Structures are given as C-alpha cells and as structure tokens.
C-alpha cells in the first residue's frame, strides 16, 4: 500500500515536492471554508480554534434537552440553481438537510396592539398593507412594485473575487445589472428611514424599519428588498440543524478532504521572518510552521494582537483607528434570552415577531439600544431544538457592549443580577401576551454581549463585524479588490472572514473561496472546487458535543 503523505508542521522549510502548507487561525465558517477550498486545490491545511466547537458565532449550546440556536435567522443560498447555493453545496453545508421556508419575513406589533406582517409575496403584502393604511397606497404600491422587480433578478456574486473574474463572468453580471441599474441605484441611495418616514400611519413608519427584526439603522432600501426577494424564491430559508448544524456539516466536509482542526488551540502570535509570515506561536509556546498563514478571526485581534500592529497602511488605519469605534460602522451586539416552555405555543403563524416597546417599558431592559424586543419561536425553525412536547423561544434585543463589559469587570454579582432582571422582564412580557405561559416556563438561559466577546473574541461582541452601507464598506471593499485580502509589507499572510468581506454567513463562506483563489494564483496552483454530494439524512446526533454556555443559568423567581 502507498504510504500516506503527512505534512510536517515543525519545520520552516517546505518539503521538496510537497503540497503547500497553510495554517488557518479560527475555525469559524470563513476559516473552514478557506480550509475546504485549499484542500480541494491540493494544499495541506491545519486550523487552530480556541473554542471547543466549530463555527464561531454560528453556534448553539444546550441545557436540559433544549438546544439554543444562536446565529442563523435566514440563510441566503438555500434554494438550488444559484451561485450562493453552489458555495454551500461545495462546502457540504446543506447535505442531507431539509430547509424550512416561511411565508413571511417578520411580523411587527405596535404598542397599541396593531400589527404588520411582512409577507414575501408582494401581492399578498400589498393587499395586507392597504388594509392597514389606505391613505399610504402610493408608498405601499411603490415598495411592492420594487419587490416584484427584485424578485425578477437573481444576482449572487459569491464565486469569484472581482480582480480574478474572467470576462464571461463579468459580462454575465453586467447583463443582470445594467437593465436594473436605476433600480439598484435608487434603492441603494434611499435610506429606509427616509422612506419609512413618508408613511402617514405611525405603525408603518416604525414597522418598515424593523423588517430585519430590529432596526439596523443606516440601511437603504436595497438590502430589505433583496432579502425579501430571496425569501420569496425559497433562497433565504432555515436549514435543518440550524447554526451549529451548518458549522458541523462544513467541519465534516473539511476533515473528509483531509484537513485537520485542533480545538482548545489558541494562537498568540504570527511568526514573521524577513517580512514573511512563516508560522504561528501558540499560547502553550508550541510553534507550527507553514508556507502561508491565514487569519480568519477578529480583525482587531489579528492586526494588533497576532501581528502587534506592525503591518498597517492608510486603509487599515482608517478602519481601525477612525471607523472601528465610530457609531454606525459596526453591527450592534445582541442580548439573548432563551426560554424553554412545556407544551406548544400558538404564535398566530408568525415564527418571528418584533414587539415595539414604549419608552418606560424599554427602560426596564438592561443596556437596550432600541425600544423593541424580538421573539422567535425557534422550535418552528427546525426539528430537535426542543424536547418532544416542548417549545423554545429566542428573545433578543440590540444592546450596549460597554454596559455589560464594564459591569462584568466591576461587579460580577451585579452583572448576574442584571442578567436575571432581563430574564424576568422577558417572563413578564411573555405572560402578558400569552396568559398562563409563566407557569410553563421550565428554564431561561441568558447570553450578554460580554458572553459573545468571551467565546468568540469578536470586537465589542459584534456578531457581524462591519455594517454594510456604512462609512466602512468602501474601505473594507479595498481589502479584497485592491489588497487581495493581504496586509502591507507582509507576504505569506492573508485575512478571511467578515472583517474583510462584511457581514452575513454567505459572505463569510465566500471570503474563504475568494482567498483560496488568490492563494492558488500566488502559489501557482490550480483552483479546484466541486460539490460534496453528501446524501446521508441529517439528524440531531450529528451536532455532536453540546456544551452549556454558563454553569449558572438564570433561575426566575429566585435571586442569584
């Protein structure tokens, strides 16, 4: 039998005639995607992940038989026949899984009890909105007309980075973009706030801002229309197994291609010699060497921690010295309250509802940034999230990271007390809307923005990094299109993930594909990719080990 080739990670020098070695820091979606495409293209890769699970923020945890799915609310690319779906198929992310599609994107309930349901079907949406406010017919018809136009367009440019796109691919994109150029330009130039403020009905003015569950602030109309159109086509569904299920499937694909992932392995420093990255030094002092190093973790940690701030330029300085802490450039952090309930819950057909809160009520939510609370019936999203005969809710609100981080550092007892207060608020809130539900609540599990920072390392607990359509977007785009995901003065090193590709899981996954193509060109290797073709039906056991996030869960009705 032929001897299996094993890469040597202990020496600086590449093995003569051997495959290129690539070390990847971070086992999130972008890191594993980079590893999959590099393996398919004939490289040897090794991922170092500090946590015990793959996926980064695309994760879940468990308590008493409930699974608390943290990340995916909708996933672009769940329908066959488009480039986004091709990326997921190549990564094995949807292998053997069913996909749950919803007729609506979100429901918004005002403080007076009136509600708006944002159906994905523009005809149904138009009829519904006209019933709510006939006086706003002109605006309603204009929005639904634009939604129909977006439904007629399928544009998912996630296969090839712009600098490497062949002429045929550029022409294909132009054939799609040019006829709709005015539509794209107008909806990208019109802020949703500006559009929503034109409604005479006060509920519609607030509801349109919250189509994406909470108000992302600073978003134009384009992403709302794009995502609702995707949902209409069944291309923004929820995959069986949820967030951790997605990560586990990509992990399985990666290891089946020969990749190696090490958990509880924290990289402390990128080793650089003569202006070239040659490996990494781990927290335990071990050193591992490679021909190329990729950081697929937090951007600030990468540049100022792993690389000690030695490799910057005006683009990097603008991002991390100017824009990083400027309001509006990062996605806010999220406060999560998971609620396990005995029995079913009648949600009137709404899997997700945004409840608008009055100022006094919102003031009871610790660290809240907006007057709203999102309630998602997660046990409707996928099987297995709750034990048989039970339900699980995920209640969230945008929250101030500094509030929770400082509180945790200064007074751990007070920190737990505020977590308890948020859990109590949610219990009282649910009781008002579902009388009698309080007696059926079996447990509450709380995750603060400080929790996100501890487990993922994401700057300020932001789960999506840079916000699209912010001042940061054009600057970040240069990192891919001009700098090819590399840093100035440092060869043999690249960055992947949402800090160089903006937010969204499909962008994180495509950043790994982009980077692998850049890397193939640099190393003189042919880029290769193919669909995994896995058909084994998904089941809950494939989630593997599920940790408890906190050994001290919130217990309602008793002080912590």
């Amino acid at each position: 039998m032929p001897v299996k080739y094993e890469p040597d990670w202990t020496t600086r020098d590449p093995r003569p005639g051997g495959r290129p070695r690539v070390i990847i820091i971070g086992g999130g979606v972008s890191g594993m995607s980079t590893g999959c495409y590099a393996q398919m293209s004939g490289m040897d890769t090794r991922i170092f992940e500090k946590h015990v699970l793959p996926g980064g923020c695309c994760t879940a945890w468990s308590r008493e038989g409930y699974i608390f799915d943290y990340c995916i609310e909708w996933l672009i690319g769940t329908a066959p026949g488009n480039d986004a779906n091709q990326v997921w198929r190549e990564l094995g992310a949807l292998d053997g899984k069913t996909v749950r599609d919803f007729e609506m994107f979100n429901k918004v309930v005002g403080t007076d009890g009136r509600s708006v349901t944002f159906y994905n079907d523009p005809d149904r949406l138009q009829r519904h909105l006209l019933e709510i406010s006939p006086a706003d017919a002109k605006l309603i018809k204009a929005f639904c007309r634009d939604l129909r136009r977006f439904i007629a367009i399928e544009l998912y440019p996630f296969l090839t980075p712009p600098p490497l796109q062949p002429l045929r691919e550029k022409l294909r994109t132009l054939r799609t973009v040019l006829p709709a150029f005015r539509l794209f330009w107008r909806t990208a130039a019109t802020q949703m706030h500006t559009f929503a403020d034109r409604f005479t009905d006060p509920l519609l003015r607030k509801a349109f801002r919250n189509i994406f569950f909470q108000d992302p602030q600073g978003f134009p109309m384009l992403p709302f229309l794009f995502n609702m159109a995707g949902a209409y086509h069944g291309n923004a569904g929820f995959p069986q197994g949820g967030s951790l299920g997605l990560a586990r499937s990509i992990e399985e694909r990666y290891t089946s291609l020969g990749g190696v992932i090490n958990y509880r392995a924290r990289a402390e420093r990128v080793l650089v010699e003569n202006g070239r990255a040659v490996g990494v030094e781990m927290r335990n002092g071990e050193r591992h060497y490679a021909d190329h190093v990729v950081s697929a973790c937090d951007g600030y940690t990468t540049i100022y921690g792993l690389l000690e701030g030695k490799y910057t330029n005006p683009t990097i300085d603008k991002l991390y010295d100017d824009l990083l802490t400027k309001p509006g450039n990062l996605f806010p952090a999220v406060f999560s309250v998971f609620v396990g309930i005995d029995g079913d819950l009648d949600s009137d057909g709404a899997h997700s509802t945004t409840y608008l809160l009055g100022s006094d009520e919102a003031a009871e939510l610790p660290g809240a940034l907006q007057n709203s609370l999102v309630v998602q019936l997660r046990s409707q999203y996928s099987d297995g999230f709750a034990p048989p005969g039970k339900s699980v809710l995920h209640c969230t609100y945008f929250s101030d990271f500094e509030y929770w981080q400082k509180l945790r550092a200064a007074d751990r007892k007070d920190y737990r007390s505020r977590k308890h207060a948020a859990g109590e608020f949610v219990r009282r809130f649910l009781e008002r809307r579902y009388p009698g539900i309080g007696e059926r609540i079996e447990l509450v599990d709380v995750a603060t923005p400080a929790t996100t920072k501890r487990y993922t390392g994401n700057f300020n607990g932001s789960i999506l990094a840079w916000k699209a359509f912010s001042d940061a977007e054009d600057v970040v785009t240069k990192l891919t299109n001009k700098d090819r995901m590399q840093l100035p003065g440092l060869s043999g090193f690249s960055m992947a993930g949402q800090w160089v590709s903006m937010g969204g899981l499909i962008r994180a996954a495509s950043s790994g594909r982009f980077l692998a193509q850049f890397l193939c060109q640099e190393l003189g290797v042919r880029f290769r990719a193919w669909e995994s073709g896995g058909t084994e039906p998904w089941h809950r056991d494939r989630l593997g080990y599920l940790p408890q996030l906190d050994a001290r869960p919130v217990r309602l009705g008793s002080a912590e």
Side-chain angles (χ1 to χ4, degrees):
M1 294 181 61
V3 178
K4 183 180 178 182
Y5 165 70
E6 295 289 347
D8 184 358
W9 305 96
T10 64
T11 177
R12 293 173 177 78
D13 300 323
R15 181 174 176 175
R19 292 153 54 105
R21 299 167 302 167
V22 180
I23 283 176
I24 301 166
I25 304 169
V29 169
S30 62
M32 291 191 294
S33 172
T34 302
C36 285
Y37 286 112
Q39 289 288 148
M40 283 188 269
S41 299
M43 305 177 207
D44 287 314
T45 67
R46 186 175 184 179
I47 295 174
F48 292 109
E49 166 56 46
K50 71 171 188 174
H51 196 20
V52 298
L53 297 173
C57 286
C58 189
T59 193
W61 57 96
S62 177
R63 190 180 298 279
E64 297 178 22
Y66 290 93
I67 293 176
F68 304 133
D69 189 79
Y70 182 64
C71 176
I72 299 176
E73 293 171 320
W74 71 91
L75 185 70
I76 292 295
T78 52
N82 61 81
D83 290 350
N85 182 259
Q86 180 179 328
V87 172
W88 295 127
R89 293 294 178 187
E90 290 169 350
L91 296 176
L94 303 178
D95 285 358
K97 297 178 181 178
T98 58
V99 173
R100 179 70 189 273
D101 293 307
F102 298 101
E103 294 181 344
M104 50 166 282
F105 210 91
N106 189 33
K107 181 178 179 179
V108 181
V109 178
T111 54
D112 59 358
R114 297 169 64 221
S115 66
V116 181
T117 301
F118 286 96
Y119 297 106
N120 300 316
D121 181 340
D123 296 336
R124 186 178 182 185
L125 175 63
Q126 181 170 306
R127 290 194 299 269
H128 173 63
L129 295 177
L130 288 173
E131 290 175 357
I132 293 172
S133 181
D136 288 308
K138 184 177 180 180
L139 283 177
I140 290 168
K141 291 179 180 178
F143 183 85
C144 293
R145 183 168 58 248
D146 283 345
L147 179 55
R148 293 185 189 96
R149 290 169 175 166
F150 269 87
I151 285 172
I153 301 166
E154 288 203 58
L155 181 64
Y156 301 99
F158 301 118
L159 292 182
T160 311
L164 299 183
Q165 285 182 357
L167 179 59
R168 66 179 182 280
E169 193 168 334
K170 291 180 180 179
L171 290 175
R172 186 182 68 172
T173 301
L174 282 174
R175 283 195 295 269
T176 302
V177 170
L178 286 180
F181 177 78
R182 292 182 63 186
L183 174 67
F184 289 150
W185 180 84
R186 176 172 52 80
T187 56
T190 305
Q191 292 286 305
M192 177 55 86
H193 278 211
T194 302
F195 178 78
D197 284 344
R198 295 165 60 192
F199 284 97
T200 60
D201 187 282
L203 175 59
L204 293 186
R205 284 202 297 270
K206 293 182 178 180
F208 268 81
R209 292 167 158 85
N210 289 277
I211 293 174
F212 285 172
F213 310 137
Q214 289 185 280
D215 183 359
Q217 298 184 334
F219 268 27
M221 295 175 65
L222 188 151
F224 294 93
L225 293 162
F226 173 85
N227 282 277
M228 290 181 73
Y232 174 85
H233 286 298
N235 201 38
F238 189 88
Q240 187 181 18
S243 306
L244 184 57
L246 188 90
R248 285 294 194 196
S249 291
I250 300 174
E251 175 197 41
E252 183 177 323
R253 171 67 162 158
Y254 172 65
T255 56
S256 73
L257 290 165
V260 176
I261 185 165
N262 297 115
Y263 292 107
R264 298 186 185 275
R266 187 175 189 134
E268 288 285 300
R269 185 165 65 98
V270 174
L271 302 173
V272 179
E273 295 179 359
N274 300 318
R276 182 175 186 84
V278 297
V280 296
E281 181 174 283
M282 311 303 292
R283 170 166 284 188
N284 63 7
E286 291 182 357
R287 291 188 171 193
H288 306 277
Y289 297 93
D291 305 301
H292 199 95
V293 177
V294 175
S295 176
C297 62
D298 176 71
Y300 186 89
T301 300
T302 297
I303 292 166
Y304 297 102
L306 296 172
L307 293 168
E308 301 174 327
K310 294 178 179 179
Y311 303 97
T312 64
N313 61 9
T315 298
I316 300 297
D317 291 339
K318 183 172 180 61
L319 278 174
Y320 290 96
D321 290 343
D322 178 24
L323 298 178
L324 186 65
T325 56
K326 185 178 178 181
N329 287 313
L330 286 188
F331 264 96
V334 173
F335 188 100
S336 291
V337 181
F338 288 95
V339 183
I341 300 168
D342 184 22
D344 295 327
L345 189 66
D346 181 10
S347 62
D348 297 325
H351 65 290
S352 174
T353 303
T354 298
Y355 292 94
L356 305 178
L357 308 176
S359 298
D360 291 343
E361 192 174 27
E364 298 180 46
L365 278 176
L369 296 177
Q370 296 182 6
N371 294 357
S372 60
L373 179 72
V374 180
V375 178
Q376 296 178 332
L377 185 53
R378 280 277 160 167
S379 38
Q380 283 190 359
Y381 283 59
S382 180
D383 57 289
F385 283 172
K390 301 180 187 296
S391 305
V392 61
L393 295 174
H394 187 196
C395 306
T396 61
Y397 62 91
F398 284 156
S399 190
D400 180 17
F401 170 79
E402 292 293 337
Y403 172 90
W404 292 103
Q405 184 75 351
K406 290 179 179 178
L407 187 63
R408 187 176 186 275
D411 189 334
R412 197 68 62 86
K413 184 177 180 180
D414 193 22
Y415 173 75
R416 289 194 294 269
S417 176
R418 303 291 177 90
K419 289 173 64 176
H420 185 274
E424 280 286 354
F425 176 93
V426 168
R427 182 192 62 78
R428 295 193 304 270
F429 181 87
L430 293 174
E431 178 66 32
R432 288 195 296 272
R433 278 145 185 84
Y434 305 97
I437 197 174
E439 297 176 356
R440 296 194 287 133
I441 292 177
E442 295 188 328
L443 61 86
V444 174
D445 204 84
V446 172
T448 76
T451 311
T452 304
K453 171 68 175 178
R454 276 195 300 135
Y455 279 88
T456 69
N458 281 16
F459 187 86
N460 280 7
S462 173
I463 62 171
L464 287 174
W466 303 112
K467 186 188 289 186
F469 306 101
S470 68
D471 292 342
E473 181 170 21
D474 287 343
V475 185
V476 172
T477 300
K478 293 179 182 178
L479 293 176
T480 297
N481 293 351
K482 183 180 178 181
D483 300 330
R484 300 193 171 205
M485 305 168 82
Q486 295 183 330
L487 296 177
L490 181 62
S491 61
F493 180 85
S494 303
M495 292 177 64
Q498 293 170 328
W499 293 97
V500 291
S501 68
M502 310 299 290
L505 283 172
I506 184 58
R507 289 184 177 270
S510 66
S511 78
R513 199 180 199 276
F514 286 6
L515 194 154
Q517 291 173 78
F518 286 136
L519 192 53
C520 284
Q521 187 181 64
E522 176 185 321
L523 298 175
V525 175
R526 179 190 170 202
F527 175 77
R528 299 182 65 210
W530 61 88
E531 294 187 8
S532 66
T535 59
E536 181 183 348
W538 174 264
H539 51 84
R540 174 173 160 157
D541 291 346
R542 293 176 69 179
L543 289 175
Y545 167 69
L546 281 162
Q548 293 185 358
L549 193 64
D550 193 337
R552 303 183 64 177
V554 173
R555 297 292 181 186
L556 301 184
S558 61
E560 280 216 339

